[in-house]
Amino acid sequence: MIWSAGFRALGTSALVAVTRRSRLPDALLLVVSELDRIDAALSRFREDSELMQVPGGVPTAVSPLLAEALGTALDAAAASGGLVDPTVGASLVELGYDRDYPELVDGGPSPKPVAVPGWRTIRLDRPSRTLRLSPGTLVDLGATGKALAADRAARAAASACGSGVLVNLGGDVAVAGAAPEAGWPVGIADDHRTSPDAVAQTVAVRSGALATSSVTVRTWRRGGERMHHLIDPRTGRPAEGRWRTATVAADSCVVANTASTAALVAGEDAVDRLARAGLSARLVAADGSVVTLGAWPRAVA
């Protein structure tokens, strides 16, 4: 049996599930506490977050949590060949994504081109946890930060509660501890808010993580154009490519999210990139056709 509770956190839907019913309240409390810490450290939408308090051009000591999140983002940028870049914050603001998504409204002038500084402009000395941002650089840790939160929260809850735990943060799914006998059932869809009877496929997850990235959700209009939150660092604009949704399985949510996000930005190269990485994945093209890679299970009609 599986018991779960849903709530909102980090600007998205969140769900905690456990294999021991009596442990759900404690697991929920631990996960909420972890997400609160993540939000206070990493949020781009809070003026009082630690990230937003870092001055440009000045070496600044940061907390272990922020240092871990920044290091994770830089590792993701390197692993993706720069396709997943944490310095796209100013581009997102210019496109209108300057507040939590539920608060966004359509309208406003057409966005102007904003050059992405590039992840190599972030100087992080990991041993001393010292950060130096170039003046004017706005860091956005939305993708890897949410995935890191899922990984950390699932591990912490499973360890403390002695239960199998699943944490789902808007399509970033991490599991820890002993899984249910048949695995954790996870519905795959373009939108994490899809009702259970409308998912495209349900897969069983026994360990590790799944991450789904999509250009069909978190959309708005600016200057008459449709915008979305996945930025191509090469252009500073919403990514345009063959795929509308990518779901990837990996040992951690961070690795899965990095790969799924990079796949949408990479476009035609996504299949080769995922195959070279040895990752199992499900890609949905703009016309609805589906390509699966690796050990991804076939859908049963």
Side-chain angles (χ1 to χ4, degrees), residues 10-96:
L10 306 183
T12 190
S13 61
L15 181 136
V16 177
V18 298
T19 54
R20 295 178 60 191
R21 184 176 187 179
S22 64
R23 307 309 290 161
L24 180 57
D26 288 341
L28 182 61
L29 184 64
L30 283 164
V31 171
V32 169
S33 176
E34 178 66 24
L35 299 186
D36 285 345
R37 293 180 61 233
I38 292 280
D39 191 55
L42 314 184
S43 177
R44 179 169 63 85
F45 307 117
R46 291 179 52 169
E47 292 183 0
D48 65 341
S49 75
E50 184 183 3
L51 176 63
M52 295 302 289
Q53 294 294 313
V54 175
V58 180
T60 305
V62 298
S63 68
L65 178 55
L66 182 54
E68 179 184 2
L70 287 162
T72 297
L74 294 176
D75 290 343
S80 65
L83 295 183
V84 182
D85 191 313
T87 65
V88 297
S91 294
L92 287 166
V93 170
E94 176 61 24
L95 296 176

XYZ file of all heavy atoms in Angstrom, residues 10-96:
613
model
N 7.584 25.639 -3.692
C 8.512 26.081 -4.735
C 7.775 26.475 -6.006
O 8.267 26.275 -7.123
C 9.549 24.979 -5.035
C 10.350 24.438 -3.846
C 11.378 23.421 -4.314
C 11.026 25.564 -3.074
N 6.578 27.019 -5.849
C 5.819 27.485 -6.996
C 5.211 26.398 -7.854
O 4.805 26.652 -8.996
N 5.110 25.175 -7.331
C 4.570 24.072 -8.112
C 3.817 23.118 -7.210
O 3.753 23.296 -5.992
C 5.710 23.344 -8.862
O 5.153 22.414 -9.803
C 6.613 22.581 -7.898
N 3.248 22.077 -7.807
C 2.587 21.048 -7.009
C 3.630 20.125 -6.404
O 4.692 19.879 -6.988
C 1.625 20.239 -7.883
O 2.331 19.585 -8.930
N 3.348 19.635 -5.218
C 4.269 18.731 -4.528
C 3.479 17.568 -3.949
O 2.303 17.705 -3.585
C 5.011 19.466 -3.417
N 4.130 16.423 -3.876
C 3.498 15.234 -3.316
C 4.533 14.414 -2.571
O 5.667 14.257 -3.048
C 2.850 14.394 -4.417
C 2.134 13.113 -3.950
C 0.795 12.957 -4.659
C 3.005 11.887 -4.189
N 4.140 13.915 -1.409
C 4.969 12.998 -0.623
C 4.192 11.699 -0.464
O 3.009 11.721 -0.087
C 5.304 13.569 0.768
C 6.100 12.559 1.583
C 6.073 14.875 0.638
N 4.836 10.576 -0.766
C 4.202 9.268 -0.604
C 5.119 8.369 0.210
O 6.350 8.475 0.131
C 3.906 8.636 -1.965
N 4.530 7.481 0.996
C 5.294 6.583 1.865
C 4.724 5.176 1.780
O 3.579 4.970 1.353
C 5.268 7.065 3.337
C 5.915 8.431 3.482
C 3.835 7.084 3.876
N 5.522 4.205 2.221
C 5.074 2.810 2.259
C 4.565 2.415 3.642
O 4.001 1.335 3.793
C 6.228 1.877 1.861
O 7.367 2.147 2.696
C 6.621 2.082 0.403
N 4.788 3.261 4.631
C 4.282 3.004 5.993
C 3.344 4.141 6.380
O 3.781 5.289 6.535
C 5.444 2.905 6.986
C 6.372 1.714 6.753
C 7.520 1.728 7.746
N 7.034 1.652 9.127
C 7.808 1.851 10.203
N 9.086 2.173 10.033
N 7.300 1.746 11.408
N 2.075 3.812 6.538
C 1.054 4.836 6.762
C 1.350 5.705 7.985
O 1.168 6.928 7.944
C -0.306 4.158 6.927
C -1.461 5.134 7.070
C -2.776 4.390 7.140
N -3.915 5.288 7.122
C -5.184 4.884 7.149
N -5.451 3.575 7.168
N -6.154 5.777 7.127
N 1.850 5.082 9.048
C 2.083 5.829 10.283
C 3.195 6.857 10.143
O 3.301 7.781 10.954
C 2.428 4.866 11.428
O 3.650 4.184 11.167
N 4.025 6.707 9.095
C 5.163 7.602 8.932
C 4.855 8.787 8.023
O 5.706 9.670 7.862
C 6.371 6.830 8.367
C 6.735 5.576 9.147
C 6.879 5.878 10.631
N 8.063 6.683 10.899
C 8.264 7.400 11.992
N 7.330 7.437 12.934
N 9.379 8.078 12.155
N 3.663 8.837 7.433
C 3.348 9.929 6.514
C 3.421 11.305 7.180
O 4.020 12.222 6.609
C 1.968 9.715 5.876
C 1.528 10.799 4.882
C 2.532 10.951 3.748
C 0.140 10.473 4.328
N 2.845 11.518 8.378
C 2.933 12.857 8.980
C 4.369 13.321 9.193
O 4.707 14.480 8.902
C 2.183 12.710 10.309
C 1.235 11.575 10.075
C 1.990 10.621 9.190
N 5.228 12.418 9.688
C 6.621 12.800 9.920
C 7.355 13.052 8.601
O 8.151 13.994 8.489
C 7.353 11.719 10.712
C 6.915 11.667 12.165
O 6.327 12.668 12.638
O 7.138 10.643 12.824
N 7.100 12.188 7.614
C 7.751 12.373 6.317
C 7.318 13.692 5.692
O 8.148 14.442 5.143
C 7.409 11.209 5.383
N 6.040 14.003 5.789
C 5.527 15.254 5.238
C 6.188 16.451 5.914
O 6.609 17.412 5.253
C 4.015 15.304 5.415
C 3.285 16.522 4.847
C 3.487 16.616 3.346
C 1.804 16.452 5.195
N 6.298 16.392 7.239
C 6.916 17.489 7.987
C 8.370 17.685 7.569
O 8.836 18.818 7.376
C 6.819 17.210 9.489
C 7.340 18.311 10.418
C 6.501 19.573 10.264
C 7.304 17.821 11.874
N 9.098 16.588 7.416
C 10.507 16.678 7.034
C 10.663 17.252 5.625
O 11.545 18.087 5.378
C 11.151 15.293 7.110
C 11.501 14.802 8.516
C 11.747 13.300 8.501
C 12.743 15.526 9.020
N 9.820 16.806 4.710
C 9.916 17.293 3.336
C 9.569 18.775 3.264
O 10.277 19.565 2.619
C 9.006 16.470 2.401
C 8.930 17.127 1.021
C 9.526 15.045 2.275
N 8.494 19.184 3.923
C 8.112 20.600 3.924
C 9.228 21.453 4.512
O 9.554 22.529 3.982
C 6.797 20.807 4.702
C 6.535 22.293 4.932
C 5.636 20.182 3.945
N 9.840 20.986 5.587
C 10.934 21.729 6.204
C 12.115 21.867 5.244
O 12.714 22.950 5.125
C 11.379 21.027 7.486
O 12.491 21.682 8.061
N 12.448 20.794 4.546
C 13.557 20.833 3.592
C 13.248 21.802 2.446
O 14.113 22.588 2.033
C 13.822 19.437 3.038
C 14.932 19.362 1.997
C 16.309 19.687 2.544
O 16.533 19.535 3.772
O 17.179 20.103 1.751
N 12.024 21.788 1.961
C 11.661 22.672 0.857
C 11.639 24.126 1.298
O 11.986 25.025 0.514
C 10.310 22.262 0.276
C 10.239 20.838 -0.297
C 8.898 20.607 -0.973
C 11.382 20.558 -1.258
N 11.252 24.373 2.526
C 11.312 25.741 3.053
C 12.746 26.245 3.085
O 13.017 27.414 2.759
C 10.704 25.802 4.454
C 9.185 25.736 4.460
O 8.574 25.924 3.387
O 8.604 25.484 5.533
N 13.677 25.376 3.482
C 15.085 25.764 3.507
C 15.598 26.036 2.091
O 16.345 27.012 1.860
C 15.926 24.664 4.153
C 15.675 24.450 5.634
C 16.554 23.328 6.178
N 17.968 23.658 6.030
C 18.870 22.878 5.441
N 18.518 21.721 4.931
N 20.128 23.257 5.363
N 15.201 25.197 1.148
C 15.598 25.391 -0.245
C 15.077 26.722 -0.771
O 15.802 27.500 -1.409
C 15.072 24.234 -1.116
C 15.783 22.920 -0.777
C 15.182 24.564 -2.598
C 17.139 22.746 -1.380
N 13.811 27.006 -0.495
C 13.204 28.242 -0.973
C 13.913 29.467 -0.397
O 14.195 30.436 -1.115
C 11.723 28.265 -0.598
C 10.967 29.393 -1.280
O 11.024 29.479 -2.524
O 10.333 30.183 -0.571
N 14.212 29.429 0.892
C 14.867 30.561 1.541
C 16.287 30.778 1.012
O 16.797 31.901 1.009
C 14.904 30.352 3.052
N 16.920 29.717 0.555
C 18.294 29.840 0.058
C 18.368 30.166 -1.424
O 19.218 30.959 -1.852
C 19.065 28.542 0.328
N 17.460 29.588 -2.249
C 17.670 29.603 -3.696
C 16.682 30.422 -4.509
O 16.912 30.649 -5.694
C 17.609 28.166 -4.257
C 18.353 27.058 -3.541
C 18.228 25.770 -4.338
C 19.797 27.421 -3.315
N 15.580 30.837 -3.919
C 14.508 31.433 -4.718
C 14.947 32.710 -5.435
O 15.542 33.607 -4.828
C 13.294 31.748 -3.836
O 12.291 32.387 -4.606
N 14.595 32.798 -6.707
C 14.799 34.017 -7.491
C 13.660 35.003 -7.264
O 13.763 36.184 -7.646
C 14.907 33.650 -8.980
C 15.087 34.826 -9.913
C 15.455 34.376 -11.314
N 14.432 33.586 -11.962
C 13.396 34.085 -12.632
N 13.226 35.387 -12.733
N 12.534 33.277 -13.235
N 12.587 34.542 -6.639
C 11.395 35.373 -6.488
C 11.249 35.960 -5.088
O 10.234 36.581 -4.782
C 10.148 34.554 -6.828
C 10.225 33.894 -8.174
C 10.215 32.524 -8.292
C 10.328 34.658 -9.323
C 10.301 31.916 -9.535
C 10.417 34.067 -10.567
C 10.401 32.688 -10.681
N 12.248 35.770 -4.252
C 12.237 36.328 -2.907
C 13.427 37.263 -2.743
O 14.580 36.843 -2.866
C 12.325 35.211 -1.850
C 11.113 34.340 -1.741
C 11.297 33.252 -0.699
N 11.745 33.774 0.604
C 11.777 33.043 1.714
N 11.385 31.771 1.691
N 12.197 33.569 2.848
N 13.143 38.525 -2.474
C 14.230 39.479 -2.279
C 15.089 39.118 -1.078
O 16.262 39.500 -1.029
C 13.660 40.891 -2.105
C 13.018 41.460 -3.358
C 12.545 42.885 -3.152
O 12.735 43.402 -2.026
O 11.999 43.472 -4.104
N 14.493 38.382 -0.123
C 15.246 38.043 1.081
C 15.941 36.690 0.986
O 16.555 36.241 1.959
C 14.320 38.059 2.309
C 13.245 36.975 2.238
O 12.974 36.460 1.127
O 12.672 36.632 3.294
N 15.876 36.016 -0.161
C 16.577 34.741 -0.270
C 18.084 34.974 -0.248
O 18.577 36.046 -0.633
C 16.184 34.004 -1.544
O 16.795 34.581 -2.686
N 18.809 33.975 0.184
C 20.266 34.116 0.240
C 20.841 34.391 -1.143
O 21.738 35.249 -1.294
C 20.897 32.856 0.829
C 22.412 32.983 0.996
C 23.082 31.735 1.518
O 22.380 30.708 1.711
O 24.315 31.784 1.723
N 20.339 33.711 -2.155
C 20.839 33.913 -3.514
C 20.676 35.353 -3.961
O 21.601 35.953 -4.517
C 20.097 32.984 -4.479
C 20.430 33.144 -5.961
C 21.897 32.818 -6.223
C 19.520 32.272 -6.813
N 19.508 35.940 -3.716
C 19.244 37.296 -4.177
C 19.986 38.349 -3.355
O 20.049 39.512 -3.758
C 17.741 37.565 -4.162
C 16.956 36.701 -5.139
S 17.519 36.891 -6.849
C 16.940 38.551 -7.205
N 20.546 37.957 -2.227
C 21.317 38.887 -1.401
C 22.793 38.932 -1.794
O 23.543 39.764 -1.289
C 21.194 38.507 0.078
C 19.791 38.673 0.653
C 19.353 40.118 0.693
O 20.097 40.984 1.136
N 18.151 40.388 0.209
N 23.217 38.034 -2.700
C 24.628 37.999 -3.092
C 24.929 39.187 -4.009
O 24.313 39.337 -5.070
C 24.968 36.682 -3.816
C 26.411 36.710 -4.339
C 24.768 35.494 -2.879
N 25.858 40.053 -3.647
C 26.175 41.214 -4.490
C 27.033 40.808 -5.686
O 27.864 39.899 -5.607
C 26.951 42.133 -3.540
C 27.605 41.194 -2.573
C 26.645 40.047 -2.389
N 26.843 41.496 -6.801
C 27.658 41.223 -7.969
C 29.061 41.769 -7.825
O 29.267 42.854 -7.273
N 30.044 41.018 -8.299
C 31.420 41.483 -8.331
C 32.178 41.392 -7.034
O 33.355 41.761 -6.976
N 31.534 40.887 -5.981
C 32.183 40.829 -4.663
C 32.249 39.376 -4.201
O 31.214 38.703 -4.107
C 31.394 41.659 -3.627
C 32.071 41.581 -2.263
C 31.269 43.102 -4.088
N 33.437 38.852 -3.882
C 33.508 37.497 -3.328
C 32.706 37.416 -2.036
O 32.882 38.237 -1.132
C 35.006 37.290 -3.075
C 35.679 38.262 -3.988
C 34.775 39.458 -4.050
N 31.814 36.430 -1.972
C 30.875 36.333 -0.855
C 30.828 34.913 -0.327
O 30.680 33.967 -1.105
C 29.458 36.757 -1.302
O 29.505 38.068 -1.868
C 28.486 36.737 -0.143
N 30.953 34.766 0.989
C 30.801 33.448 1.604
C 29.325 33.075 1.608
O 28.471 33.891 1.965
C 31.349 33.462 3.029
N 29.023 31.853 1.197
C 27.630 31.405 1.140
C 27.460 30.162 2.005
O 28.426 29.494 2.392
C 27.196 31.112 -0.309
C 27.266 32.382 -1.156
C 28.041 30.005 -0.932
N 26.216 29.844 2.299
C 25.900 28.709 3.158
C 26.223 27.388 2.450
O 26.320 27.332 1.217
C 24.414 28.729 3.517
O 23.626 28.455 2.366
N 26.370 26.310 3.216
C 26.585 24.999 2.586
C 25.482 24.631 1.603
O 25.759 24.041 0.556
C 26.621 24.047 3.781
C 27.098 24.890 4.924
C 26.478 26.238 4.696
N 24.231 24.970 1.919
C 23.124 24.616 1.030
C 23.209 25.372 -0.289
O 23.065 24.779 -1.368
C 21.789 24.896 1.720
C 20.526 24.608 0.896
C 20.526 23.174 0.378
C 19.285 24.877 1.735
N 23.439 26.677 -0.244
C 23.552 27.439 -1.482
C 24.773 27.013 -2.275
O 24.725 26.910 -3.507
C 23.600 28.938 -1.188
C 23.680 29.856 -2.418
C 22.561 29.579 -3.400
C 23.681 31.325 -1.996
N 25.876 26.740 -1.583
C 27.077 26.275 -2.282
C 26.806 24.946 -2.986
O 27.236 24.737 -4.132
C 28.233 26.135 -1.295
N 26.082 24.042 -2.321
C 25.747 22.759 -2.952
C 24.875 22.973 -4.176
O 25.086 22.353 -5.229
C 25.029 21.847 -1.955
C 24.640 20.495 -2.555
C 23.833 19.624 -1.605
O 23.526 20.073 -0.487
O 23.501 18.487 -2.000
N 23.878 23.843 -4.062
C 22.970 24.089 -5.182
C 23.700 24.724 -6.363
O 23.463 24.363 -7.524
C 21.819 24.964 -4.728
N 24.575 25.673 -6.083
C 25.340 26.308 -7.154
C 26.306 25.324 -7.799
O 26.454 25.293 -9.026
C 26.095 27.508 -6.603
C 25.247 28.735 -6.281
C 26.010 29.679 -5.359
C 24.829 29.457 -7.555
N 26.967 24.527 -6.970
C 27.858 23.519 -7.521
C 27.114 22.519 -8.386
O 27.596 22.111 -9.448
N 25.914 22.130 -7.941
C 25.085 21.222 -8.724
C 24.723 21.844 -10.069
O 24.771 21.183 -11.117
C 23.809 20.882 -7.945
O 24.162 20.189 -6.744
C 22.873 20.018 -8.763
N 24.356 23.139 -10.068
C 23.997 23.821 -11.307
C 25.190 23.925 -12.257
O 25.044 23.756 -13.481
C 23.454 25.207 -10.991
N 26.365 24.191 -11.716
C 27.558 24.286 -12.560
C 27.932 22.917 -13.131
O 28.347 22.812 -14.297
C 28.721 24.869 -11.763
C 28.540 26.322 -11.316
C 29.712 26.766 -10.450
C 28.385 27.251 -12.520
N 27.783 21.869 -12.326
C 28.042 20.521 -12.826
C 27.061 20.170 -13.945
O 27.429 19.533 -14.942
C 27.919 19.504 -11.693
C 29.041 19.618 -10.674
O 30.073 20.248 -10.982
O 28.884 19.086 -9.560
N 25.795 20.569 -13.778
C 24.788 20.304 -14.810
C 25.124 21.053 -16.095
O 24.964 20.527 -17.200
C 23.405 20.702 -14.302
N 25.587 22.293 -15.952
C 25.968 23.071 -17.126
C 27.121 22.402 -17.872
O 27.102 22.291 -19.108
C 26.349 24.487 -16.713
N 28.107 21.952 -17.127
C 29.249 21.283 -17.758
C 28.815 19.984 -18.426
O 29.214 19.688 -19.557
C 30.331 21.015 -16.715
N 27.995 19.190 -17.735
C 27.563 17.894 -18.265
C 26.712 18.048 -19.523
O 26.723 17.186 -20.405
C 26.782 17.131 -17.195
N 25.959 19.158 -19.602
C 25.064 19.374 -20.740
C 25.717 20.175 -21.865
O 25.053 20.531 -22.840
C 23.798 20.109 -20.284
O 24.102 21.422 -19.837
N 26.998 20.470 -21.731
C 27.659 21.283 -22.737
C 27.117 22.693 -22.788
O 27.134 23.340 -23.832
N 26.636 23.183 -21.636
C 26.131 24.545 -21.548
C 24.671 24.711 -21.921
O 24.151 25.836 -21.874
N 23.970 23.630 -22.261
C 22.560 23.751 -22.633
C 21.665 24.013 -21.426
O 20.577 24.575 -21.564
C 22.087 22.491 -23.358
C 22.749 22.204 -24.707
C 22.140 20.965 -25.339
C 22.621 23.400 -25.649
N 22.105 23.594 -20.249
C 21.395 23.893 -19.004
C 22.269 24.881 -18.249
O 23.275 24.515 -17.666
C 21.148 22.621 -18.169
C 20.372 22.946 -16.897
C 20.391 21.582 -18.998
N 21.885 26.147 -18.273
C 22.757 27.228 -17.807
C 22.059 28.033 -16.716
O 20.950 28.533 -16.931
C 23.107 28.147 -18.992
C 24.205 29.142 -18.678
O 24.136 29.802 -17.611
O 25.131 29.277 -19.496
N 22.671 28.183 -15.545
C 22.006 28.912 -14.460
C 22.049 30.423 -14.583
O 21.502 31.122 -13.729
C 22.788 28.458 -13.225
C 24.161 28.177 -13.735
C 23.955 27.602 -15.116
N 22.677 30.961 -15.640
C 22.766 32.416 -15.767
C 21.711 32.982 -16.720
O 21.882 34.066 -17.283
C 24.170 32.856 -16.222
O 24.421 32.376 -17.550
C 25.227 32.351 -15.268
N 20.585 32.273 -16.873
C 19.522 32.732 -17.784
C 18.497 33.608 -17.067
O 17.466 33.953 -17.640
C 18.804 31.538 -18.448
C 19.767 30.747 -19.313
C 18.138 30.654 -17.397
N 18.761 33.983 -15.814
C 17.772 34.729 -15.034
C 17.305 36.013 -15.698
O 16.105 36.299 -15.741
N 18.242 36.810 -16.227
C 17.858 38.077 -16.849
C 17.008 37.856 -18.098
O 16.099 38.638 -18.389
C 19.099 38.902 -17.195
N 17.290 36.797 -18.833
C 16.474 36.471 -20.003
C 15.050 36.139 -19.585
O 14.082 36.576 -20.215
C 17.084 35.287 -20.764
O 18.336 35.632 -21.322
N 14.892 35.365 -18.519
C 13.562 35.020 -18.033
C 12.795 36.252 -17.584
O 11.601 36.390 -17.859
C 13.672 34.011 -16.885
C 14.063 32.589 -17.289
C 14.475 31.779 -16.058
C 12.905 31.904 -18.007
N 13.480 37.168 -16.915
C 12.821 38.406 -16.481
C 12.358 39.214 -17.687
O 11.233 39.736 -17.719
C 13.769 39.234 -15.595
C 13.186 40.621 -15.347
C 14.001 38.523 -14.262
N 13.205 39.335 -18.701
C 12.835 40.092 -19.893
C 11.638 39.457 -20.597
O 10.796 40.161 -21.169
C 14.020 40.173 -20.855
C 13.730 40.856 -22.183
C 13.301 42.314 -22.039
O 13.647 42.955 -21.014
O 12.609 42.811 -22.949
N 11.550 38.136 -20.534
C 10.420 37.442 -21.150
C 9.148 37.550 -20.320
O 8.087 37.117 -20.769
C 10.763 35.963 -21.360
C 11.915 35.670 -22.329
C 12.208 34.180 -22.361
C 11.599 36.182 -23.719
N 9.260 38.103 -19.108
C 8.092 38.287 -18.262
C 8.001 37.360 -17.078
O 7.102 37.500 -16.249
